[in-house]
Amino acid sequence: MTAEFFGAFDNRGGQAADVARIRRLVLPGGVITVTGPQFTSYTVEEFIEPRLRLLSEGRLVEFAEWETSEETRIAGDIASRFGEYRKSGVLDGAPYEGSGSKTFQFVRTAEGWRIAAFAWYDHP
């Protein structure tokens, strides 16, 4: 589930990022929050729209992000995952790199595991 989430943003080698898959992974009422530099909470659609434009209109190319470490705890039909990640690409013609921390809250539904909430913090 987490690898599929990170893969949604991958547009390396000219492939189109599949940001719309976030709609399948996150519950419709899911909570999405970034803590810095400016604290913001998003609905699923508010999260998808600007990322779709950024990754499909040529501003951010050869982009990927991936987990570098993670810890997952599962209790019945709920799970919590905390991980570190890295990202890289070319933003507005210049190399772009970063890292951060993400946390996911998963729930098992009749259709399988889904993301109920996630939050992230990009390291300075």
Side-chain angles (χ1 to χ4, degrees):
M1 169 82 47
T2 308
E4 188 174 356
F5 172 85
F6 281 108
F9 307 99
D10 192 322
N11 68 359
R12 292 175 294 177
Q15 74 178 347
D18 185 14
V19 180
R21 92 170 61 158
I22 300 301
R23 290 184 186 103
R24 293 189 322 269
L25 299 175
V26 180
L27 293 173
V31 177
I32 303 166
T33 304
V34 60
T35 62
Q38 181 176 343
F39 183 93
T40 308
S41 286
Y42 302 94
T43 66
V44 173
E45 292 305 316
E46 289 169 340
F47 177 79
I48 289 172
E49 183 56 35
R51 285 153 186 85
L52 182 60
R53 282 193 319 269
L54 182 66
L55 291 162
S56 65
E57 294 177 357
R59 286 196 56 218
L60 181 57
V61 297
E62 295 303 314
F63 181 78
E65 60 181 7
W66 60 95
E67 276 187 309
T68 57
S69 67
E70 61 82 17
E71 180 180 339
T72 303
R73 186 167 180 192
I74 302 170
D77 291 335
I78 61 172
S80 180
R81 183 181 189 101
F82 184 85
E84 301 292 318
Y85 69 96
R86 298 214 28 92
K87 57 187 174 180
S88 70
V90 177
L91 178 61
D92 295 329
Y96 171 74
E97 288 189 358
S99 63
S101 302
K102 275 195 171 92
T103 182
F104 294 90
Q105 299 300 311
F106 298 106
V107 294
R108 189 186 335 245
T109 70
E111 294 79 35
W113 287 98
R114 296 293 182 265
I115 299 168
F118 71 90
W120 80 98
Y121 170 76
D122 284 332
H123 300 161

